[in-house]
Amino acid sequence: MITIKDVAKEAGVSVATVSRVLNNKGGAKPETITHVENVIKKLNYKPNKIAKSLSEGSSNLIALLVPTLNNPFFPELVREIEKVANENGYNVYLCNSDDDRMKVEYYLESMIDHYVSGAIINSLHVDASDLAELEKRGIRTITIDRANFEHPYSAITVDHTLGAQLAVTHLIRDEKCNNIVFISGPKNEKSAIDRLTGFTLALNEAGHPVKTHICYGDFGTASGYENTKALIQNGHSFDSIFCANDAMAIGAMRACHEFGIKVPSEVKIVGYDNISLASYMYPTLSSVDQCKEDIGRLAVNELIQLIKNPKNKQKQYELEPKLVIRNSSTINGGSINE
Amino acid sequence: MITIKDVAKEAGVSVATVSRVLNNKGGAKPETITHVENVIKKLNYKPNKIAKSLSEGSSNLIALLVPTLNNPFFPELVREIEKVANENGYNVYLCNSDDDRMKVEYYLESMIDHYVSGAIINSLHVDASDLAELEKRGIRTITIDRANFEHPYSAITVDHTLGAQLAVTHLIRDEKCNNIVFISGPKNEKSAIDRLTGFTLALNEAGHPVKTHICYGDFGTASGYENTKALIQNGHSFDSIFCANDAMAIGAMRACHEFGIKVPSEVKIVGYDNISLASYMYPTLSSVDQCKEDIGRLAVNELIQLIKNPKNKQKQYELEPKLVIRNSSTINGGSINE
DNA sequence: TTGAAAGCGCTAACAC
DNA sequence: GTGTTAGCGCTTTCAA
């Protein structure tokens, strides 16, 4: 391993000088700078980030805590965040909690251990006191969605009330549905509550009575499948399903297929997340787009601001989702796909 | 921040002693140990891993280089590897190269910077000299699949020849297909070559002529879709498609649907990877299972052996894939799903 | 404009 | 059994 000392010796200067040119601190003669730079190139020297972190008391690591990698939404989000982080010279420390409090705790400690300089958190199992603990340790935080609690730190949410409202209004107004099943996420979750609010809003706006049924899934494909299957087997009739995410919508669609229920002519389905696979489903899946790209970019940028400028005030952002209508919810576009 | 010094002072011992109990090095009186442990608890002290890494010249990080997160196979593999690594006290440094040599280089350097103690590598863009460089720096490596080159380091491969053979034999023998399209991965890749060999083997075993057509995709859903669409539009007739991965198979299935081609009655489709969504597709997707769980567990365990025992010899493993037959390739099971 | 040296938190000889 | 101390590679005062 070749160190700053080797460079200093080879260049005939002190390590301080090398450090200066390395970090563009200025205060060195132009010719010294170019000379040192040449030596660095010649020796193919790479500064040791661990030593740098220790010395500076912070790293270039950003922790990213996600609840799962099973739901394609998260890999897609991870990818986006990683991209923006890298663009800014940060590395991502991916923490997949599998929605398990034990693993969350493990990773929260691990973030501290690794001197991460900031954390992007998306988990049901993190509460305000966890965030406080991180902040106390100098780790800036920003939560993304799925937070079911109030806290004073930076946060990005998507307006789930609006998202649900868009989806349900589409079903009622455009598609004349009047018997809607809502497969929600876990009851205790803010996004589930918000979406329920949006659901209700859309019903009220309808101007006429609409039958509804609400059941609760866990955002996994299997739970969308099982819930739908149970409804069908119990003889529950419905003309549409709105799912709190695409994974569950895929499960719901699967159940319909298995029972010979035609989508969209007999039952219309709308999901949430707009994962990239949505447009490859059969039929293609209508979905509420959460703008992963915007979330990712915003999260990283905001976090970097906080890291670089510890006095910056935390901000809360709320993004607007968009409805993407495909064949699972509309007969007009669905001729080939049925 | 509370350091080892604080603990030493509070406990009335030296930092060396604290370090000893921290690392279970022994050579300390039982009562000293418990005393120090109590102080550690009382102060809620967490050793700084950065400092530890710098001091020891190694970390508890394992780098995991994957080519993409878009293809669900990889998140599923990541999850498995992460799980086993955590069980063994290691953290995973996820490096997503997006199949881009630039990013690969970035991450290879980053691995060195972060003192990772080992790397699990799955990339087309890493060659033997990259591995040699890592090993030279004390980073043990193990490649998983997709390596299209020979190297002396540890490796896990799946017998793709066999996998392809199983799939194609199934199509020919069980399903009486005699006009098969093979959507391969990139030409230069070992797995593509192996699967082609398996493809040919299965044809030879058939005992009668079978028409074939081979095209090349990039493992993305879109490329499966586009290839299939082009064949259909060009009037190419076929009765089955074997895809080098499930993502492309999903794309292929989508194209068939769009052109009103019934799967499996008119065209049978088999994929590769057995991603968890395969059983939620419509129709459910037959696929060659690579045993992600086995790959993940084996990779981590082998790597840890290498790390702990630098003199251990590298080993090569080859796993056997299994064919999982679902409705996309067999009419018998497909009545509801068509 | 530069260099010497202290220090980041920890480990590991080496000494007692 | 335990403590002292010299590093690990880097940054950053402080002097020169």
Side-chain angles (χ1 to χ4, degrees), chain B residues 37-75:
Chain B
E37 279 170 344
N38 285 334
V39 173
I40 288 175
K41 240 172 242 152
K42 181 175 140 203
L43 264 45
N44 189 24
Y45 163 72
K46 314 259 188 245
N48 180 326
K49 285 203 180 148
I50 292 280
K52 189 177 162 82
S53 293
L54 180 60
S55 180
E56 290 181 327
S58 77
S59 72
N60 74 329
L61 277 184
I62 289 178
L64 172 55
L65 182 63
V66 295
T68 176
L69 288 176
N70 276 345
N71 174 351
F73 176 75
F74 291 102

Side-chain angles (χ1 to χ4, degrees), chain B residues 10-24:
Chain B
E10 176 74 18
V13 298
S14 73
V15 293
T17 299
V18 178
S19 178
R20 279 186 198 105
V21 344
L22 232 35
N23 299 290
N24 303 311

Side-chain angles (χ1 to χ4, degrees), chain A residues 82 107 115 254 281 337, chain B residues 48 82 107 254 281 337:
Chain A
E82 194 195 20
Y107 276 121
Y115 264 61
R254 174 78 223 149
M281 288 294 112
N337 295 293
Chain B
N48 180 326
E82 195 194 21
Y107 275 122
R254 172 81 223 148
M281 289 293 112
N337 295 295

Side-chain angles (χ1 to χ4, degrees), chain A residues 1 11 23 28 35 69 74 78 108 123 146-147 151-152 179 183 193 196 199 223 278 280 302 314 316 334-335:
Chain A
M1 153 151 288
N23 298 291
H35 176 224
L69 289 175
F74 291 102
V78 168
L108 290 175
S123 168
R146 288 191 91 179
H151 66 254
N179 194 344
I183 302 184
I193 297 164
L196 187 56
F199 186 74
S223 79
Y280 288 99
E302 168 71 12
Q314 286 93 346
Q316 273 81 36
S335 56

Side-chain angles (χ1 to χ4, degrees), chain A residues 1-2 44 46-51 53-54 59-61 68-70 72 75-76 78-79 82-83 85-86 89-98 103 106-107 109-110 112-115 133 136-137 221-223 225 250-251 254 257-260 275-277 279-284 327 336-337, chain B residues 1-2 44-51 53-54 59-61 68-70 72 75-76 78-79 82-83 85-86 89-98 103 106-107 109-110 112-115 133 137 221-223 225 250-251 254 257-260 275-277 279-284 327 336-337:
Chain A
M1 153 151 288
I2 152 152
N44 189 26
K46 313 266 185 239
N48 179 325
K49 285 200 184 149
I50 291 281
S53 294
L54 181 61
S59 74
N60 73 330
L61 273 186
T68 177
L69 289 175
N70 276 346
E76 293 175 16
V78 168
R79 181 161 175 268
E82 194 195 20
K83 193 178 118 204
N86 286 172
Y90 287 86
N91 286 135
V92 172
Y93 174 40
L94 182 68
C95 308
N96 167 27
S97 73
D98 272 328
K103 292 189 86 177
Y106 171 83
Y107 276 121
E109 289 198 0
S110 188
I112 296 171
D113 293 343
H114 286 288
Y115 264 61
E133 175 69 17
K136 205 182 80 191
R137 303 264 191 172
T221 316
S223 79
Y225 173 76
I250 289 172
R254 174 78 223 149
H257 286 145
E258 283 187 9
F259 286 89
I275 62 177
S276 58
L277 234 43
S279 53
Y280 288 99
M281 288 294 112
Y282 177 68
T284 54
N327 294 324
I336 303 176
N337 295 293
Chain B
M1 153 149 290
I2 151 152
N44 189 24
Y45 163 72
K46 314 259 188 245
N48 180 326
K49 285 203 180 148
I50 292 280
S53 293
L54 180 60
S59 72
N60 74 329
L61 277 184
T68 176
L69 288 176
N70 276 345
E76 293 174 17
V78 169
R79 181 162 175 268
E82 195 194 21
K83 192 178 117 202
N86 287 172
Y90 286 86
N91 286 136
V92 171
Y93 176 40
L94 182 69
C95 308
N96 167 28
S97 73
D98 272 327
K103 292 189 86 178
Y106 171 83
Y107 275 122
E109 289 195 1
S110 187
I112 295 170
D113 292 344
H114 283 103
Y115 272 96
E133 175 70 16
R137 303 264 193 170
T221 316
S223 79
Y225 173 78
I250 289 172
R254 172 81 223 148
H257 286 148
E258 283 186 9
F259 286 90
I275 62 176
S276 58
L277 271 176
S279 53
Y280 288 99
M281 289 293 112
Y282 179 68
T284 53
N327 294 324
I336 304 176
N337 295 295

Side-chain angles (χ1 to χ4, degrees), chain A residues 16-247:
Chain A
T17 300
V18 178
S19 178
R20 280 188 197 102
V21 344
L22 231 36
N23 298 291
N24 303 310
K25 295 278 180 184
K29 250 194 302 195
E31 52 231 72
T32 315
I33 295 182
T34 50
H35 176 224
V36 171
E37 279 170 345
N38 286 334
V39 173
I40 286 174
K41 240 174 240 151
K42 182 175 138 202
L43 263 43
N44 189 26
Y45 163 72
K46 313 266 185 239
N48 179 325
K49 285 200 184 149
I50 291 281
K52 190 177 161 83
S53 294
L54 181 61
S55 180
E56 290 180 328
S58 77
S59 74
N60 73 330
L61 273 186
I62 289 177
L64 172 56
L65 181 63
V66 295
T68 177
L69 289 175
N70 276 346
N71 174 352
F73 175 75
F74 291 102
E76 293 175 16
L77 180 66
V78 168
R79 181 161 175 268
E80 197 58 36
I81 286 178
E82 194 195 20
K83 193 178 118 204
V84 182
N86 286 172
E87 283 169 12
N88 288 278
Y90 287 86
N91 286 135
V92 172
Y93 174 40
L94 182 68
C95 308
N96 167 27
S97 73
D98 272 328
D99 248 339
D100 171 356
R101 173 69 197 178
M102 295 288 288
K103 292 189 86 177
V104 166
E105 285 177 9
Y106 171 83
Y107 276 121
L108 290 175
E109 289 198 0
S110 188
M111 291 176 195
I112 296 171
D113 293 343
H114 286 288
Y115 264 61
V116 305
S117 47
I120 298 175
I121 293 194
N122 185 196
S123 168
L124 292 176
H125 299 290
V126 169
D127 58 33
S129 72
D130 294 320
L131 297 180
E133 175 69 17
L134 290 177
E135 295 273 352
K136 205 182 80 191
R137 303 264 191 172
I139 299 174
R140 307 311 305 262
T141 64
I142 180 164
T143 56
I144 293 185
D145 213 53
R146 288 191 91 179
N148 49 352
F149 57 92
E150 299 294 322
H151 66 254
Y153 311 108
S154 281
I156 297 175
T157 52
V158 176
D159 187 344
H160 297 304
T161 305
L162 176 61
Q165 201 180 349
L166 289 172
V168 177
T169 298
H170 162 62
L171 289 173
I172 295 176
R173 189 171 304 166
D174 304 345
E175 303 301 329
K176 315 295 180 213
C177 296
N178 57 21
N179 194 344
I180 307 177
V181 168
F182 176 30
I183 302 184
S184 163
K187 260 183 194 162
N188 56 336
E189 209 179 328
K190 182 169 179 302
S191 73
I193 297 164
D194 288 353
R195 286 172 204 183
L196 187 56
T197 308
F199 186 74
T200 313
L201 273 175
L203 296 178
N204 292 342
E205 278 173 356
H208 61 268
V210 174
K211 274 202 254 177
T212 61
H213 178 80
I214 298 173
C215 42
Y216 296 89
D218 66 359
F219 288 132
T221 316
S223 79
Y225 173 76
E226 295 298 342
N227 269 302
T228 307
K229 189 172 167 186
L231 287 176
I232 297 170
Q233 286 179 329
N234 293 337
H236 187 106
S237 79
F238 50 90
D239 61 14
S240 51
I241 308 177
F242 171 48
C243 294
N245 79 351
D246 286 348

